[in-house]
CSV table of all heavy atoms in Angstrom, one decimal:
chain,number,residue,atom,x,y,z
G,93,LEU,N,-2.6,-17.1,7.0
G,93,LEU,CA,-3.5,-16.7,5.9
G,93,LEU,C,-4.2,-15.4,6.1
G,93,LEU,O,-4.5,-14.8,5.1
G,93,LEU,CB,-4.6,-17.8,5.8
G,93,LEU,CG,-4.2,-19.2,5.1
G,93,LEU,CD1,-5.4,-20.1,5.1
G,93,LEU,CD2,-3.6,-18.9,3.7
G,94,ILE,N,-4.2,-14.9,7.3
G,94,ILE,CA,-4.9,-13.6,7.5
G,94,ILE,C,-4.2,-12.5,6.8
G,94,ILE,O,-4.9,-11.7,6.1
G,94,ILE,CB,-5.0,-13.3,9.1
G,94,ILE,CG1,-6.1,-14.3,9.6
G,94,ILE,CG2,-5.5,-11.9,9.3
G,94,ILE,CD1,-6.1,-14.3,11.1
G,95,PRO,N,-2.9,-12.2,7.0
G,95,PRO,CA,-2.3,-11.1,6.2
G,95,PRO,C,-2.3,-11.4,4.7
G,95,PRO,O,-2.4,-10.4,3.9
G,95,PRO,CB,-0.8,-11.1,6.7
G,95,PRO,CG,-0.6,-12.2,7.6
G,95,PRO,CD,-1.9,-12.9,7.8
G,96,LEU,N,-2.4,-12.6,4.3
G,96,LEU,CA,-2.5,-12.9,2.8
G,96,LEU,C,-3.9,-12.5,2.3
G,96,LEU,O,-4.0,-11.9,1.2
G,96,LEU,CB,-2.3,-14.4,2.6
G,96,LEU,CG,-0.9,-14.9,2.3
G,96,LEU,CD1,-0.8,-16.4,2.4
G,96,LEU,CD2,-0.4,-14.4,1.0
G,97,LEU,N,-4.9,-12.8,3.0
G,97,LEU,CA,-6.2,-12.3,2.7
G,97,LEU,C,-6.3,-10.8,2.7
G,97,LEU,O,-6.9,-10.2,1.8
G,97,LEU,CB,-7.3,-13.0,3.6
G,97,LEU,CG,-7.5,-14.5,3.4
G,97,LEU,CD1,-8.3,-15.0,4.6
G,97,LEU,CD2,-8.2,-14.8,2.1
G,98,ALA,N,-5.7,-10.2,3.7
G,98,ALA,CA,-5.7,-8.8,3.8
G,98,ALA,C,-5.0,-8.1,2.6
G,98,ALA,O,-5.5,-7.1,2.0
G,98,ALA,CB,-5.1,-8.3,5.1
G,99,SER,N,-3.9,-8.7,2.2
G,99,SER,CA,-3.1,-8.2,1.1
G,99,SER,C,-3.8,-8.3,-0.2
G,99,SER,O,-3.8,-7.5,-1.1
G,99,SER,CB,-1.7,-8.7,1.0
G,99,SER,OG,-1.7,-10.1,0.7
G,100,ALA,N,-4.5,-9.5,-0.4
G,100,ALA,CA,-5.3,-9.7,-1.6
G,100,ALA,C,-6.4,-8.7,-1.7
G,100,ALA,O,-6.7,-8.2,-2.8
G,100,ALA,CB,-5.8,-11.1,-1.6
G,101,TRP,N,-7.0,-8.3,-0.6
G,101,TRP,CA,-8.1,-7.3,-0.6
G,101,TRP,C,-7.5,-5.9,-0.8
G,101,TRP,O,-8.0,-5.2,-1.6
G,101,TRP,CB,-8.9,-7.4,0.7
G,101,TRP,CG,-10.0,-6.4,0.8
G,101,TRP,CD1,-11.2,-6.5,0.2
G,101,TRP,CD2,-10.0,-5.1,1.4
G,101,TRP,NE1,-12.0,-5.4,0.4
G,101,TRP,CE2,-11.2,-4.5,1.2
G,101,TRP,CE3,-9.1,-4.4,2.1
G,101,TRP,CZ2,-11.6,-3.2,1.7
G,101,TRP,CZ3,-9.4,-3.2,2.7
G,101,TRP,CH2,-10.6,-2.6,2.4
G,102,PHE,N,-6.4,-5.5,-0.1
G,102,PHE,CA,-5.8,-4.2,-0.2
G,102,PHE,C,-5.3,-4.0,-1.7
G,102,PHE,O,-5.2,-2.8,-2.1
G,102,PHE,CB,-4.7,-4.0,0.8
G,102,PHE,CG,-5.2,-3.4,2.1
G,102,PHE,CD1,-5.3,-4.1,3.2
G,102,PHE,CD2,-5.7,-2.1,2.1
G,102,PHE,CE1,-5.8,-3.6,4.4
G,102,PHE,CE2,-6.1,-1.5,3.3
G,102,PHE,CZ,-6.2,-2.3,4.4
G,103,ALA,N,-4.9,-5.0,-2.3
G,103,ALA,CA,-4.3,-4.9,-3.6
G,103,ALA,C,-5.3,-4.5,-4.6
G,103,ALA,O,-5.0,-3.9,-5.7
G,103,ALA,CB,-3.7,-6.2,-4.1
G,104,ARG,N,-6.6,-4.6,-4.3
G,104,ARG,CA,-7.7,-4.2,-5.2
G,104,ARG,C,-8.4,-2.9,-4.7
G,104,ARG,O,-9.4,-2.5,-5.2
G,104,ARG,CB,-8.7,-5.4,-5.2
G,104,ARG,CG,-8.2,-6.5,-6.0
G,104,ARG,CD,-8.7,-7.9,-5.6
G,104,ARG,NE,-8.1,-8.9,-6.4
G,104,ARG,CZ,-6.9,-9.4,-6.3
G,104,ARG,NH1,-6.1,-8.9,-5.3
G,104,ARG,NH2,-6.4,-10.3,-7.1
G,105,GLN,N,-7.8,-2.3,-3.8
G,105,GLN,CA,-8.3,-1.0,-3.3
G,105,GLN,C,-7.3,0.2,-3.7
G,105,GLN,O,-6.1,-0.1,-3.9
G,105,GLN,CB,-8.4,-1.0,-1.8
G,105,GLN,CG,-9.2,-2.1,-1.1
G,105,GLN,CD,-10.6,-2.2,-1.7
G,105,GLN,OE1,-11.3,-1.2,-1.7
G,105,GLN,NE2,-11.0,-3.4,-2.1
G,106,ASN,N,-7.9,1.3,-3.9
G,106,ASN,CA,-7.0,2.5,-4.2
G,106,ASN,C,-6.6,3.2,-2.8
G,106,ASN,O,-7.2,4.1,-2.5
G,106,ASN,CB,-7.6,3.4,-5.1
G,106,ASN,CG,-6.6,4.5,-5.6
G,106,ASN,OD1,-5.5,4.6,-5.1
G,106,ASN,ND2,-7.0,5.3,-6.5
G,107,HIS,N,-5.7,2.6,-2.1
G,107,HIS,CA,-5.3,3.1,-0.8
G,107,HIS,C,-4.6,4.4,-0.9
G,107,HIS,O,-4.5,5.1,0.1
G,107,HIS,CB,-4.5,2.1,0.1
G,107,HIS,CG,-3.4,1.4,-0.7
G,107,HIS,ND1,-3.7,0.3,-1.5
G,107,HIS,CD2,-2.1,1.7,-0.9
G,107,HIS,CE1,-2.5,-0.1,-2.0
G,107,HIS,NE2,-1.6,0.7,-1.7
G,108,PHE,N,-4.1,4.8,-2.1
G,108,PHE,CA,-3.5,6.1,-2.2
G,108,PHE,C,-4.5,7.2,-2.0
G,108,PHE,O,-4.2,8.3,-1.4
G,108,PHE,CB,-2.8,6.3,-3.6
G,108,PHE,CG,-1.7,5.4,-3.8
G,108,PHE,CD1,-1.6,4.5,-4.9
G,108,PHE,CD2,-0.6,5.3,-2.9
G,108,PHE,CE1,-0.5,3.7,-5.1
G,108,PHE,CE2,0.5,4.5,-3.0
G,108,PHE,CZ,0.5,3.7,-4.1
G,109,GLU,N,-5.8,7.0,-2.4
G,109,GLU,CA,-6.8,8.0,-2.2
G,109,GLU,C,-7.1,8.1,-0.7
G,109,GLU,O,-7.6,9.1,-0.2
G,109,GLU,CB,-8.1,7.6,-2.9
G,109,GLU,CG,-8.0,7.9,-4.4
G,109,GLU,CD,-9.3,7.6,-5.1
G,109,GLU,OE1,-10.4,7.3,-4.5
G,109,GLU,OE2,-9.3,7.7,-6.4
G,110,TRP,N,-6.9,7.0,0.1
G,110,TRP,CA,-7.2,7.1,1.5
G,110,TRP,C,-6.1,7.9,2.2
G,110,TRP,O,-6.3,8.6,3.2
G,110,TRP,CB,-7.1,5.7,2.1
G,110,TRP,CG,-8.2,4.8,1.6
G,110,TRP,CD1,-9.3,5.0,0.8
G,110,TRP,CD2,-8.2,3.4,1.8
G,110,TRP,NE1,-9.9,3.9,0.6
G,110,TRP,CE2,-9.3,2.8,1.1
G,110,TRP,CE3,-7.4,2.5,2.5
G,110,TRP,CZ2,-9.6,1.5,1.1
G,110,TRP,CZ3,-7.7,1.1,2.5
G,110,TRP,CH2,-8.8,0.6,1.8
G,111,MET,N,-4.9,7.9,1.6
G,111,MET,CA,-3.8,8.6,2.2
G,111,MET,C,-3.8,10.1,1.9
G,111,MET,O,-3.4,10.9,2.7
G,111,MET,CB,-2.4,8.0,1.7
G,111,MET,CG,-2.2,6.6,2.2
G,111,MET,SD,-0.9,5.7,1.4
G,111,MET,CE,0.5,6.8,1.4
G,112,PHE,N,-4.3,10.4,0.6
G,112,PHE,CA,-4.2,11.8,0.2
G,112,PHE,C,-5.7,12.2,-0.1
G,112,PHE,O,-6.2,12.1,-1.2
G,112,PHE,CB,-3.4,11.9,-1.1
G,112,PHE,CG,-2.0,11.5,-0.9
G,112,PHE,CD1,-1.6,10.2,-1.4
G,112,PHE,CD2,-1.1,12.3,-0.4
G,112,PHE,CE1,-0.2,9.8,-1.2
G,112,PHE,CE2,0.2,12.0,-0.2
G,112,PHE,CZ,0.7,10.7,-0.6
G,113,ASN,N,-6.3,12.7,0.9
G,113,ASN,CA,-7.7,13.1,0.8
G,113,ASN,C,-7.8,14.6,0.2
G,113,ASN,O,-7.0,15.4,0.6
G,113,ASN,CB,-8.4,13.1,2.2
G,113,ASN,CG,-8.4,11.8,2.8
G,113,ASN,OD1,-8.7,10.8,2.0
G,113,ASN,ND2,-8.1,11.6,4.0
G,114,PRO,N,-8.7,14.7,-0.7
G,114,PRO,CA,-8.9,16.2,-1.2
G,114,PRO,C,-9.3,17.0,0.0
G,114,PRO,O,-9.9,16.6,1.0
G,114,PRO,CB,-10.1,16.0,-2.1
G,114,PRO,CG,-10.1,14.6,-2.5
G,114,PRO,CD,-9.6,13.8,-1.4
G,115,LEU,N,-8.9,18.3,-0.1
G,115,LEU,CA,-9.1,19.2,1.0
G,115,LEU,C,-10.6,19.5,1.1
G,115,LEU,O,-11.2,20.0,0.2
G,115,LEU,CB,-8.4,20.5,0.7
G,115,LEU,CG,-8.4,21.6,1.8
G,115,LEU,CD1,-7.8,21.0,3.1
G,115,LEU,CD2,-7.6,22.8,1.3
G,116,ALA,N,-11.2,19.1,2.2
G,116,ALA,CA,-12.7,19.3,2.4
G,116,ALA,C,-12.9,20.7,2.9
G,116,ALA,O,-12.1,21.3,3.7
G,116,ALA,CB,-13.2,18.3,3.4
G,117,ASN,N,-14.0,21.3,2.5
G,117,ASN,CA,-14.4,22.6,2.9
G,117,ASN,C,-13.2,23.6,2.7
G,117,ASN,O,-12.8,24.3,3.6
G,117,ASN,CB,-14.8,22.7,4.4
G,117,ASN,CG,-15.9,21.7,4.6
G,117,ASN,OD1,-16.8,21.6,3.8
G,117,ASN,ND2,-15.9,21.0,5.7
G,118,ALA,N,-12.6,23.6,1.5
G,118,ALA,CA,-11.5,24.6,1.2
G,118,ALA,C,-12.1,26.0,1.4
G,118,ALA,O,-13.1,26.3,0.9
G,118,ALA,CB,-11.0,24.3,-0.2
G,119,ALA,N,-11.2,26.8,2.0
G,119,ALA,CA,-11.6,28.3,2.2
G,119,ALA,C,-10.5,29.1,1.4
G,119,ALA,O,-9.3,28.8,1.5
G,119,ALA,CB,-11.7,28.6,3.6
G,120,TYR,N,-11.0,30.1,0.7
G,120,TYR,CA,-10.1,30.9,0.0
G,120,TYR,C,-10.2,32.3,0.5
G,120,TYR,O,-11.2,32.8,0.9
G,120,TYR,CB,-10.4,30.9,-1.5
G,120,TYR,CG,-10.5,29.5,-2.1
G,120,TYR,CD1,-11.7,28.9,-2.3
G,120,TYR,CD2,-9.3,28.8,-2.3
G,120,TYR,CE1,-11.7,27.6,-2.7
G,120,TYR,CE2,-9.3,27.5,-2.8
G,120,TYR,CZ,-10.5,26.9,-3.0
G,120,TYR,OH,-10.6,25.6,-3.5
G,121,VAL,N,-9.0,33.0,0.7
G,121,VAL,CA,-8.9,34.3,1.2
G,121,VAL,C,-8.0,35.2,0.3
G,121,VAL,O,-7.3,34.7,-0.5
G,121,VAL,CB,-8.3,34.3,2.7
G,121,VAL,CG1,-9.3,33.5,3.6
G,121,VAL,CG2,-6.9,33.7,2.7
G,122,LYS,N,-8.2,36.5,0.6
G,122,LYS,CA,-7.3,37.4,-0.1
G,122,LYS,C,-5.9,37.3,0.4
G,122,LYS,O,-5.7,36.8,1.6
G,122,LYS,CB,-7.8,38.9,0.1
G,122,LYS,CG,-9.2,39.1,-0.5
G,122,LYS,CD,-9.2,39.1,-2.0
G,122,LYS,CE,-10.6,39.5,-2.5
G,122,LYS,NZ,-10.7,39.3,-3.9
G,123,VAL,N,-4.9,37.8,-0.3
G,123,VAL,CA,-3.5,37.7,0.1
G,123,VAL,C,-3.3,38.3,1.5
G,123,VAL,O,-2.6,37.7,2.3
G,123,VAL,CB,-2.6,38.4,-0.9
G,123,VAL,CG1,-1.2,38.4,-0.5
G,123,VAL,CG2,-2.7,37.7,-2.3
G,124,ASP,N,-3.9,39.5,1.8
G,124,ASP,CA,-3.6,40.2,3.0
G,124,ASP,C,-4.3,39.4,4.2
G,124,ASP,O,-3.9,39.7,5.4
G,124,ASP,CB,-4.0,41.6,3.0
G,124,ASP,CG,-5.5,41.8,2.6
G,124,ASP,OD1,-6.1,40.8,2.0
G,124,ASP,OD2,-6.1,42.9,2.9
G,125,GLN,N,-5.2,38.5,4.0
G,125,GLN,CA,-5.8,37.7,5.0
G,125,GLN,C,-5.3,36.3,5.2
G,125,GLN,O,-5.7,35.6,6.1
G,125,GLN,CB,-7.3,37.6,4.7
G,125,GLN,CG,-8.1,38.9,4.6
G,125,GLN,CD,-9.5,38.7,4.1
G,125,GLN,OE1,-9.8,37.8,3.4
G,125,GLN,NE2,-10.4,39.7,4.4
G,126,ALA,N,-4.3,35.9,4.4
G,126,ALA,CA,-3.7,34.6,4.4
G,126,ALA,C,-2.6,34.5,5.5
G,126,ALA,O,-1.4,34.5,5.1
G,126,ALA,CB,-3.2,34.2,3.0
G,127,ALA,N,-3.0,34.4,6.7
G,127,ALA,CA,-2.1,34.4,7.8
G,127,ALA,C,-1.3,33.0,7.9
G,127,ALA,O,-0.3,32.9,8.5
G,127,ALA,CB,-2.8,34.6,9.1
G,128,PHE,N,-1.9,32.0,7.2
G,128,PHE,CA,-1.2,30.7,7.3
G,128,PHE,C,-0.1,30.5,6.2
G,128,PHE,O,0.6,29.5,6.2
G,128,PHE,CB,-2.3,29.6,7.0
G,128,PHE,CG,-3.1,29.7,5.8
G,128,PHE,CD1,-2.6,29.1,4.6
G,128,PHE,CD2,-4.2,30.5,5.7
G,128,PHE,CE1,-3.4,29.3,3.4
G,128,PHE,CE2,-5.0,30.6,4.6
G,128,PHE,CZ,-4.5,30.0,3.4
G,129,VAL,N,0.1,31.5,5.4
G,129,VAL,CA,1.1,31.5,4.4
G,129,VAL,C,2.2,32.5,4.7
G,129,VAL,O,1.8,33.7,4.9
G,129,VAL,CB,0.5,31.8,3.0
G,129,VAL,CG1,1.6,31.8,1.9
G,129,VAL,CG2,-0.5,30.8,2.6
G,130,THR,N,3.4,32.1,4.8
G,130,THR,CA,4.5,33.0,5.1
G,130,THR,C,5.2,33.5,3.8
G,130,THR,O,4.9,32.9,2.7
G,130,THR,CB,5.6,32.4,6.0
G,130,THR,OG1,6.2,31.3,5.3
G,130,THR,CG2,5.0,31.8,7.2
G,131,ASP,N,6.0,34.5,3.9
G,131,ASP,CA,6.7,35.0,2.7
G,131,ASP,C,7.6,34.0,2.1
G,131,ASP,O,7.9,34.1,0.9
G,131,ASP,CB,7.5,36.3,3.1
G,131,ASP,CG,6.6,37.5,3.4
G,131,ASP,OD1,5.4,37.4,2.9
G,131,ASP,OD2,7.0,38.4,4.1
G,132,SER,N,8.1,33.1,2.9
G,132,SER,CA,9.1,32.1,2.3
G,132,SER,C,8.4,30.8,1.8
G,132,SER,O,9.0,30.0,1.3
G,132,SER,CB,10.0,31.7,3.4
G,132,SER,OG,9.3,31.0,4.5
G,133,ASP,N,7.0,30.8,1.9
G,133,ASP,CA,6.3,29.6,1.4
G,133,ASP,C,6.3,29.6,-0.2
G,133,ASP,O,6.1,30.7,-0.8
G,133,ASP,CB,4.9,29.6,1.9
G,133,ASP,CG,4.7,29.0,3.3
G,133,ASP,OD1,5.7,28.4,3.7
G,133,ASP,OD2,3.7,29.2,3.9
G,134,ILE,N,6.4,28.4,-0.8
G,134,ILE,CA,6.3,28.3,-2.2
G,134,ILE,C,4.8,28.1,-2.5
G,134,ILE,O,4.2,27.3,-1.8
G,134,ILE,CB,7.2,27.1,-2.7
G,134,ILE,CG1,8.6,27.4,-2.4
G,134,ILE,CG2,7.0,27.0,-4.2
G,134,ILE,CD1,9.5,26.1,-2.6
G,135,VAL,N,4.4,28.8,-3.6
G,135,VAL,CA,2.9,28.7,-3.9
G,135,VAL,C,2.8,28.3,-5.4
G,135,VAL,O,3.7,28.6,-6.2
G,135,VAL,CB,2.2,30.0,-3.6
G,135,VAL,CG1,2.1,30.3,-2.2
G,135,VAL,CG2,2.6,31.1,-4.4
G,136,MET,N,1.7,27.7,-5.8
G,136,MET,CA,1.4,27.5,-7.2
G,136,MET,C,0.4,28.5,-7.6
G,136,MET,O,-0.7,28.7,-6.9
G,136,MET,CB,0.8,26.1,-7.4
G,136,MET,CG,0.4,25.8,-8.8
G,136,MET,SD,-0.6,24.3,-9.1
G,136,MET,CE,0.0,23.1,-7.9
G,137,ALA,N,0.7,29.3,-8.6
G,137,ALA,CA,-0.2,30.4,-9.0
G,137,ALA,C,-0.9,30.0,-10.3
G,137,ALA,O,-0.4,29.4,-11.2
G,137,ALA,CB,0.7,31.7,-9.2
G,138,VAL,N,-2.2,30.5,-10.3
G,138,VAL,CA,-3.0,30.3,-11.6
G,138,VAL,C,-3.6,31.6,-11.9
G,138,VAL,O,-4.1,32.3,-11.0
G,138,VAL,CB,-4.1,29.2,-11.3
G,138,VAL,CG1,-5.0,29.1,-12.5
G,138,VAL,CG2,-3.5,27.9,-10.9
G,139,GLU,N,-3.6,32.0,-13.2
G,139,GLU,CA,-4.2,33.3,-13.6
G,139,GLU,C,-5.1,32.9,-14.7
G,139,GLU,O,-4.7,32.2,-15.7
G,139,GLU,CB,-3.1,34.3,-14.0
G,139,GLU,CG,-3.7,35.6,-14.4
G,139,GLU,CD,-2.7,36.6,-14.9
G,139,GLU,OE1,-1.5,36.3,-14.8
G,139,GLU,OE2,-3.1,37.7,-15.3
G,140,SER,N,-6.3,33.5,-14.7
G,140,SER,CA,-7.3,33.3,-15.7
G,140,SER,C,-8.2,34.6,-15.8
G,140,SER,O,-8.8,34.9,-14.8
G,140,SER,CB,-8.1,32.0,-15.5
G,140,SER,OG,-9.1,31.9,-16.6
G,141,ASN,N,-8.3,35.1,-17.0
G,141,ASN,CA,-9.2,36.3,-17.2
G,141,ASN,C,-9.0,37.4,-16.2
G,141,ASN,O,-9.9,38.0,-15.7
G,141,ASN,CB,-10.7,35.8,-17.2
G,141,ASN,CG,-11.1,34.8,-18.2
G,141,ASN,OD1,-10.5,34.9,-19.3
G,141,ASN,ND2,-12.0,33.9,-17.9
G,142,GLY,N,-7.7,37.7,-16.0
G,142,GLY,CA,-7.4,38.8,-15.1
G,142,GLY,C,-7.5,38.6,-13.6
G,142,GLY,O,-7.2,39.4,-12.8
G,143,GLU,N,-7.9,37.3,-13.2
G,143,GLU,CA,-7.9,37.0,-11.8
G,143,GLU,C,-6.8,35.9,-11.5
G,143,GLU,O,-6.6,35.1,-12.3
G,143,GLU,CB,-9.3,36.4,-11.4
G,143,GLU,CG,-9.5,36.1,-10.0
G,143,GLU,CD,-10.9,35.6,-9.6
G,143,GLU,OE1,-11.8,35.5,-10.5
G,143,GLU,OE2,-11.1,35.2,-8.5
G,144,ALA,N,-6.2,36.1,-10.3
G,144,ALA,CA,-5.2,35.1,-10.0
G,144,ALA,C,-5.5,34.5,-8.6
G,144,ALA,O,-6.2,35.0,-7.8
G,144,ALA,CB,-3.8,35.9,-9.9
G,145,ALA,N,-5.0,33.3,-8.5
G,145,ALA,CA,-5.1,32.5,-7.2
G,145,ALA,C,-3.8,31.8,-6.9
G,145,ALA,O,-3.1,31.5,-7.9
G,145,ALA,CB,-6.3,31.5,-7.3
G,146,ALA,N,-3.5,31.6,-5.7
G,146,ALA,CA,-2.2,30.9,-5.3
G,146,ALA,C,-2.6,29.8,-4.3
G,146,ALA,O,-3.4,30.1,-3.4
G,146,ALA,CB,-1.3,31.9,-4.7
G,147,TYR,N,-1.9,28.7,-4.4
G,147,TYR,CA,-2.2,27.6,-3.5
G,147,TYR,C,-0.8,27.2,-2.9
G,147,TYR,O,0.1,26.9,-3.7
G,147,TYR,CB,-2.8,26.4,-4.3
G,147,TYR,CG,-4.0,26.9,-5.2
G,147,TYR,CD1,-3.8,27.1,-6.5
G,147,TYR,CD2,-5.2,27.1,-4.6
G,147,TYR,CE1,-4.9,27.5,-7.3
G,147,TYR,CE2,-6.3,27.6,-5.3
G,147,TYR,CZ,-6.1,27.7,-6.7
G,147,TYR,OH,-7.1,28.2,-7.5
G,148,PRO,N,-0.7,27.2,-1.6
G,148,PRO,CA,0.6,26.8,-1.0
G,148,PRO,C,0.9,25.3,-1.3
G,148,PRO,O,0.2,24.4,-1.2
G,148,PRO,CB,0.2,26.9,0.5
G,148,PRO,CG,-1.0,27.8,0.6
G,148,PRO,CD,-1.7,27.5,-0.7
G,149,ILE,N,2.2,25.2,-1.7
G,149,ILE,CA,2.7,23.8,-2.1
G,149,ILE,C,2.7,22.9,-0.8
G,149,ILE,O,2.4,21.8,-1.0
G,149,ILE,CB,4.1,23.9,-2.6
G,149,ILE,CG1,4.1,24.7,-4.0
G,149,ILE,CG2,4.8,22.6,-2.8
G,149,ILE,CD1,3.2,24.0,-5.0
G,150,ARG,N,2.9,23.5,0.3
G,150,ARG,CA,2.8,22.8,1.6
G,150,ARG,C,1.5,22.0,1.7
G,150,ARG,O,1.4,20.8,2.1
G,150,ARG,CB,3.0,23.7,2.8
G,150,ARG,CG,3.1,23.1,4.1
G,150,ARG,CD,3.5,24.1,5.2
G,150,ARG,NE,3.2,25.6,4.9
G,150,ARG,CZ,2.1,26.2,5.2
G,150,ARG,NH1,1.2,25.7,6.0
G,150,ARG,NH2,2.0,27.5,4.9
G,151,GLN,N,0.4,22.6,1.3
G,151,GLN,CA,-0.9,22.0,1.4
G,151,GLN,C,-1.2,21.1,0.2
G,151,GLN,O,-1.7,20.0,0.2
G,151,GLN,CB,-2.0,23.0,1.5
G,151,GLN,CG,-2.1,23.6,2.9
G,151,GLN,CD,-3.2,24.7,3.1
G,151,GLN,OE1,-3.6,25.3,2.1
G,151,GLN,NE2,-3.6,24.9,4.3
G,152,MET,N,-0.7,21.6,-1.0
G,152,MET,CA,-0.9,20.8,-2.2
G,152,MET,C,-0.1,19.5,-2.2
G,152,MET,O,-0.5,18.5,-2.8
G,152,MET,CB,-0.4,21.6,-3.4
G,152,MET,CG,-1.3,22.9,-3.7
G,152,MET,SD,-2.9,22.5,-4.2
G,152,MET,CE,-2.7,21.6,-5.8
G,153,ALA,N,1.0,19.5,-1.5
G,153,ALA,CA,1.8,18.2,-1.4
G,153,ALA,C,1.1,17.2,-0.7
G,153,ALA,O,1.3,16.0,-0.9
G,153,ALA,CB,3.1,18.5,-0.7
Side-chain angles (χ1 to χ4, degrees):
L93 286 178
I94 293 171
L96 271 168
L97 290 167
S99 67
W101 182 79
F102 271 107
R104 287 150 182 78
Q105 307 302 312
N106 189 354
H107 45 274
F108 294 126
E109 284 186 6
W110 301 346
M111 294 166 49
F112 301 100
N113 297 318
L115 187 59
N117 304 321
Y120 304 103
V121 296
K122 300 284 185 193
V123 174
D124 58 341
Q125 298 171 338
F128 57 91
V129 179
T130 66
D131 290 340
S132 63
D133 281 345
I134 300 171
V135 298
M136 180 187 329
V138 176
E139 182 181 355
S140 178
N141 298 327
E143 186 179 350
Y147 311 101
I149 295 299
R150 184 172 22 96
Q151 289 179 331
M152 293 295 294

